[in-house]
């Protein structure tokens, strides 16, 4: 059985980080990342070789990261998710990868690695490293599984002020589309988009706050201040290990969402190219995969390493699946640029109460 813990140091660090924070270390490699991924357990081989961690800068969501990079912010590596990668490629933010320098390239999950939208002119631009679900997560002292059998629970007035969803346009619209009957948002019509947006406006009436990261959501759910959330696997995995009465429902009437994120090489990266590949290779080690699954509850892009893990261990952190779940999963695939821009603009209006 895999056990996962959080050291006091890592928890305090995660809670203290805010958008724009910079953790300076190795000056030859700067990572632009989500808060929490500076955890040194993810790249132990890199630190062993170079004697220090990379320097980290953080973003709160991918649109913020995109705009900051467009405005001239310089880093070597960024960590976008599937739906953002094509936009970043077309904007000229990403440089092609030399896959011959990625030691475990052939071990990567091909259904992630070989997505056409992550390639251009025969070259690859994306290394899938982490994947998971966004799904119903709830406090069992306040709700039962029957209470959250439908995603319509997010709009039920009796839960006003006790709901939280991520401050993330893709996860939010995954919820909106699923709740209104769409499991493939790449084929969504204007009417589908309107229905999803209308649903999210109803959810907004119940939202206590839009969570920015797993640590902030865990604080809200620990006390029961929030008892219903649309959350990543991390929340369930860490909180149940720590003894909190938290559960997930992967078998709601409407389904769950799935995503994959990964590392990219930024154009005109100012740091060391050798260290870029050392960092990527460290992330793809089986030791990193075991840590990501066991301590964070996320899947890893190294399919060979994942296949060596016991089914029971994957189920313990909510990574198990079956045909029924897969049939009702909205995969956060890249969407056309017009729809994505509409999602971004509309979500900002919804959060503002319009």
């Amino acid at each position: 059985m895999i056990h996962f813990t959080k050291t006091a140091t890592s928890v305090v660090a995660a809670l203290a980080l805010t958008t724009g924070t910079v953790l300076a270390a190795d000056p030859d490699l700067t990572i632009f990342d989500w808060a929490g991924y500076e955890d040194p357990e993810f790249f132990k081989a890199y630190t062993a070789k170079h004697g220090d961690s990379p320097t980290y800068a953080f973003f709160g969501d991918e649109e913020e990261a995109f705009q900051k990079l467009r405005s001239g912010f310089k880093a070597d590596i960024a960590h976008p998710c599937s739906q953002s990668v094509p936009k970043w490629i077309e904007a000229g933010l990403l440089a092609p990868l030399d896959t011959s320098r990625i030691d475990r390239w052939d071990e990567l999950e091909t259904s992630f690695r070989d997505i056409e939208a992550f390639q251009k002119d025969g070259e690859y631009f994306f290394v899938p490293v982490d994947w998971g679900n966004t799904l119903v997560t709830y406090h069992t002292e306040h709700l039962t599984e029957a209470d959250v059998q439908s995603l319509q629970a997010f709009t039920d007035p009796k839960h006003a002020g006790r709901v939280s969803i991520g401050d993330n346009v893709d996860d939010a619209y995954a919820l909106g589309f699923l709740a209104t009957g769409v499991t493939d948002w790449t084929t969504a019509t204007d009417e589908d988009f309107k229905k999803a947006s209308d649903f999210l406006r109803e959810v907004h009436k119940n939202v206590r706050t839009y969570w920015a990261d797993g640590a902030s959501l865990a604080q809200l759910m620990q006390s029961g201040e929030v008892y219903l959330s649309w959350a990543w696997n991390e929340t369930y995995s860490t909180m149940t290990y720590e003894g909190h009465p938290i559960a997930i429902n992967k078998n709601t009437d409407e389904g769950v969402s799935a995503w994959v994120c990964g590392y990219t090489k930024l154009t005109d990266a100012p740091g060391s190219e050798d260290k870029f590949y050392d960092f990527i290779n460290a992330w793809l080690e089986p030791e990193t995969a075991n840590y990501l699954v066991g301590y964070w509850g996320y899947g890893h892009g190294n399919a060979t390493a994942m296949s060596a893990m016991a089914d029971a261990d994957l189920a313990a952190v909510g990574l198990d699946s079956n045909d029924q779940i897969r049939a009702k999963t909205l995969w956060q695939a890249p969407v056309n640029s017009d729809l994505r821009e509409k999602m971004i603009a509309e979500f900002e209006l919804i959060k503002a109460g319009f």
Side-chain angles (χ1 to χ4, degrees):
M1 180 66 175
I2 296 175
H3 296 289
F4 39 99
T5 66
K6 291 284 188 182
T7 66
T9 301
S10 67
V11 170
V12 170
L15 293 175
L17 291 171
T18 57
T19 300
T21 300
V22 175
L23 295 182
D26 189 335
D28 294 329
L29 193 72
T30 299
I31 318 293
F32 196 29
D33 215 329
W34 306 89
Y37 281 86
E38 76 286 358
D39 187 333
E41 295 294 323
F42 287 138
F43 45 87
K44 289 176 68 175
Y46 178 92
T47 306
K49 182 173 181 178
H50 297 290
D52 206 351
S53 296
T55 291
Y56 275 85
F58 301 99
F59 56 82
D61 64 60
E62 290 158 272
E63 185 61 18
E64 173 201 330
F66 177 79
Q67 296 300 338
K68 189 169 182 177
L69 290 168
R70 283 276 295 261
S71 69
F73 177 75
K74 292 296 183 183
D76 301 296
I77 302 177
H79 193 172
C81 299
S82 51
Q83 55 279 21
S84 294
V85 176
K87 177 179 176 178
W88 289 31
I89 293 173
E90 292 307 315
L93 297 180
L94 305 184
L97 301 166
D98 181 352
T99 60
S100 70
R101 300 189 65 180
I102 300 176
D103 298 340
R104 296 181 182 274
W105 182 257
D106 291 340
E107 297 178 16
L108 292 174
E109 172 58 56
T110 56
S111 64
F112 298 150
R113 186 194 69 190
D114 296 339
I115 290 175
E116 187 175 346
F118 301 161
Q119 303 170 53
K120 184 178 181 181
D121 299 330
E123 295 187 289
Y124 289 85
F125 289 77
F126 181 75
V127 183
V129 297
D130 55 329
W131 57 267
N133 295 118
T134 311
L135 69 172
V136 169
T137 306
Y138 62 101
H139 196 299
T140 59
E141 290 181 355
H142 299 271
L143 298 172
T144 67
E145 184 173 349
D147 291 326
V148 294
Q149 186 54 38
S150 171
L151 299 184
Q152 302 304 318
F154 284 98
T155 64
D156 191 324
K158 70 183 179 184
H159 302 314
R162 310 299 291 276
V163 168
S164 184
I165 68 174
D167 190 2
N168 179 301
V169 64
D170 301 297
D171 285 329
Y173 267 95
L175 171 62
F177 278 120
L178 277 168
T180 53
V182 175
T183 54
D184 181 0
W185 66 9
T186 66
T187 62
T189 65
D190 288 344
E191 181 62 24
D192 292 331
F193 175 71
K194 183 180 183 304
K195 289 179 180 178
S197 300
D198 289 346
F199 178 84
L200 292 176
R201 283 189 167 83
E202 292 301 309
V203 174
H204 177 77
K205 296 176 183 178
N206 287 345
V207 167
R208 186 174 191 85
T209 187
Y210 291 88
W211 59 264
D213 55 63
S216 61
L217 177 59
Q219 285 187 307
L220 291 166
M221 296 200 73
Q222 180 175 339
S223 64
E225 181 179 353
V226 162
Y227 56 58
L228 174 59
S229 65
W230 183 242
W232 300 328
N233 305 69
E234 172 192 350
T235 299
Y236 167 72
S237 299
T238 57
M239 293 193 72
T240 53
Y241 179 76
E242 292 166 0
H244 302 295
I246 301 298
I248 55 176
N249 187 352
K250 300 185 76 171
N251 290 291
T252 63
D253 295 339
E254 300 89 350
V256 300
S257 183
W259 46 263
V260 60
C261 304
Y263 283 115
T264 56
K265 188 175 188 291
L266 292 170
T267 302
D268 300 325
S272 166
E273 185 168 38
D274 289 340
K275 288 185 176 181
F276 169 86
Y277 287 105
D278 287 342
F279 177 82
I280 297 299
N281 287 329
W283 246 96
L284 298 184
E285 288 288 327
E287 181 180 13
T288 303
N290 289 333
Y291 180 75
L292 181 66
V293 171
Y295 286 68
W296 284 59
Y298 295 144
H300 194 277
N302 186 328
T304 302
M306 290 294 295
S307 66
M309 298 179 194
D311 291 343
D313 289 339
L314 298 177
V317 293
L319 291 176
D320 55 316
S321 189
N322 56 46
D323 290 342
Q324 179 180 346
I325 292 172
R326 286 189 288 271
K328 296 190 296 182
T329 294
L330 185 147
W331 157 239
Q332 291 185 21
V335 296
N336 69 71
S337 58
D338 288 343
L339 175 57
R340 180 154 177 78
E341 292 306 313
K342 286 199 300 183
M343 288 164 59
I344 291 168
E346 198 71 7
F347 188 48
E348 290 303 314
L349 291 174
I350 291 167
K351 289 189 297 179
F354 296 105

